[in-house]
Structure formats: C-alpha cells, structure tokens
Amino acid sequence: MALLLCASAAIAGVGPIDAAVSSDPVEATQSAALFVGIREFPDDSSIAEVRYAVDDAIDLAFAFSLDASTRLVDPKQVVLALSGEPQKPQSSERLKVLIANGALTTTARTTDIMKLLESQARRVGPQGALIATFATHGINEDGAQYLFAADSLLVHRAPSLSEGTIRDIVAQTGVARSLILIDACRQRLTRNSRAVEADPRSRAVLLRELGEISGQVVFAAAASGKFAYDDDVRQNGVFTSRVIDGLHCEARADARGFITVDAL
C-alpha cells in the first residue's frame, strides 16, 4: 500500500494524513472494502457493456483479501457490488472462493453503492483502511466526472455517482485511511459506436479538492482529457491490470526505485 501512495499529481490525488493517525501496520481485520464492477446497464440498452468490469472488481477483491502477498482486508469485510457476469473462468472461480471465505455480493444500483460505501467505511477500525474500487463507465459533464451505476441512464445523466460524492461519503464517516481506485472513462460509451472511436463525453477530468481531505488517496485510470482502455489479453481494464502488477511488485519502478502512478 505504501508503494501505491507515491502518487503523481497529474492523475491522482493525495490528501495529507492527520498526525494523530497511528503509523502502525494496517490490520486486515480492522479494514473493510467495497469492489464495484458494472458490466451491464439493464435500464438503458444504448450504453455499451464494460466487458471486464466485473472481472476487475473480482480480481482486485481477491488480490486485496485472499492473496497472501497483498492481503490488506479480511474477506469477511469485503462486499462486491456487481452487474453482469465475469468474462474469464479464473475470475468466476475467484468469486466462488471469495464467497466461500465470507465475502458478500449484491446489486450495483446507485443507492446500493452509496449505502454500501458508507456502511463499509463505518466498519473500519483505527488500525484499518477502507478500500473502494470502481470499474464502470464514466462521463464528463460541466467539469465534473460521474460514474455509472447499473441503473444509470445516458440521456438524463441520472442516477449516477460523482467522484465528489464518493469522496464526501468517505470523508464524512471519519475513516482515517482510504484508498479509492477508479477504472472508468472507457473509450466506447454507447453500443452504436465503433471501438476505435473516442467519445468526448467520457474524457476524464482532474480530481479536485483532494488536498482538503485527510488520509484519502484517489487513483483514476485516466488523466484529464484522456481515456481508459481494456486489456483484451489480460481481460481486465488496463489500469486494473497494472495496479495488480504493482501490488505483486511486477511494475516498473522509477529512477529512485519507487513504484509511482506514472510507473504503473
């Protein structure tokens, strides 16, 4: 986790950690996590599926809770909010193992996600951390970034979650440490566009006001005006696959030996 916190301001935000927060190691039993993966949008057939979003959520949940080398949270403290099925058999098997070890699965409508984010944040103890990841479509409107839930509608831009709302929910619970990963703003937003086309509505914008939030780190898949992409070989989002590489010490380090966002 410490390696992940070496963030580049261009595509990530880091809030200062309060001096009162203990520097002791994070305890997995005091941590909690929410992994959101939205492949299908059943309320709006015009929205293209995000092929590997469910795989992203499952694979990150497995890495953070059951992989011995990267475990930061007990699987009994894990909730997966999913819409659709995973693409690859490995992710399907990982989901079964997660559930067998106490992880819960639920639907991924807007109100589900908001309530779960708050409840999971309130489960975090003083020696724990909140981990929240989002794999879905994102859309840029009036300088703000919105993430689609399973019940989102493209034309009306509602219901959806703004990045600001996500940060505010976490901040208001008073959780000492949080790590938020956003693999959104995929290239193709609608079903009637070709994969090579870039939809300007899904460009990412810079995260704002992060310096005012203590102990919260947000990593987004794309910098301002850029897009996030899928990795058809790994069958994950490119961002998610690189984060998993980084957790397993397989990412390229910079000249100082640090794994930064730029290096990922």
Side-chain angles (χ1 to χ4, degrees), residues 1-7 72 258-259:
M1 189 173 186
L3 293 176
L4 280 173
L5 301 187
C6 303
L72 286 175
F258 291 116
I259 299 175

Side-chain angles (χ1 to χ4, degrees), residues 30-59:
Q30 294 194 37
S31 297
L34 172 63
F35 299 93
V36 179
I38 303 171
R39 175 183 171 185
E40 298 174 352
F41 304 86
D43 289 4
D44 190 338
S45 60
S46 71
I47 303 175
E49 69 174 26
V50 184
R51 285 176 295 172
Y52 309 128
V54 173
D55 297 77
D56 288 348
I58 294 169
D59 294 348

Side-chain angles (χ1 to χ4, degrees), residues 32 44 105 155 189 207 233:
D44 190 338
T105 61
V155 174
L189 185 61
L207 300 170
V233 175

Side-chain angles (χ1 to χ4, degrees), residues 46-119:
S46 71
I47 303 175
E49 69 174 26
V50 184
R51 285 176 295 172
Y52 309 128
V54 173
D55 297 77
D56 288 348
I58 294 169
D59 294 348
L60 284 169
F62 190 90
F64 277 115
S65 67
L66 287 176
D67 190 317
S69 63
T70 58
R71 185 172 181 266
L72 286 175
V73 60
D74 190 294
K76 295 183 179 65
Q77 298 279 86
V78 167
V79 177
L80 297 102
L82 307 175
S83 177
E85 299 295 327
Q87 289 278 79
K88 59 182 184 284
Q90 184 182 34
S91 297
S92 296
E93 290 302 314
R94 285 174 172 172
L95 180 58
K96 293 177 184 177
V97 174
L98 283 162
I99 293 171
N101 281 273
L104 300 178
T105 61
T106 185
T107 52
R109 300 176 76 84
T110 306
T111 53
D112 298 330
I113 296 170
M114 294 176 69
K115 290 177 181 178
L116 284 168
L117 187 59
E118 180 177 359
S119 63

Side-chain angles (χ1 to χ4, degrees), residues 174-221:
V175 63
R177 308 170 186 84
S178 62
L179 175 63
I180 300 172
L181 305 176
I182 301 175
D183 195 348
C185 313
R186 306 281 180 139
Q187 184 186 22
R188 190 178 70 164
L189 185 61
T190 57
R191 292 181 183 274
N192 60 1
S193 23
R194 291 172 298 177
V196 296
E197 294 177 341
D199 191 324
R201 293 171 294 182
S202 63
R203 287 191 179 124
V205 296
L206 286 175
L207 300 170
R208 297 184 178 87
E209 302 173 358
L210 290 173
E212 300 176 8
I213 301 174
S214 179
Q216 187 177 101
V217 179
V218 181
F219 290 154

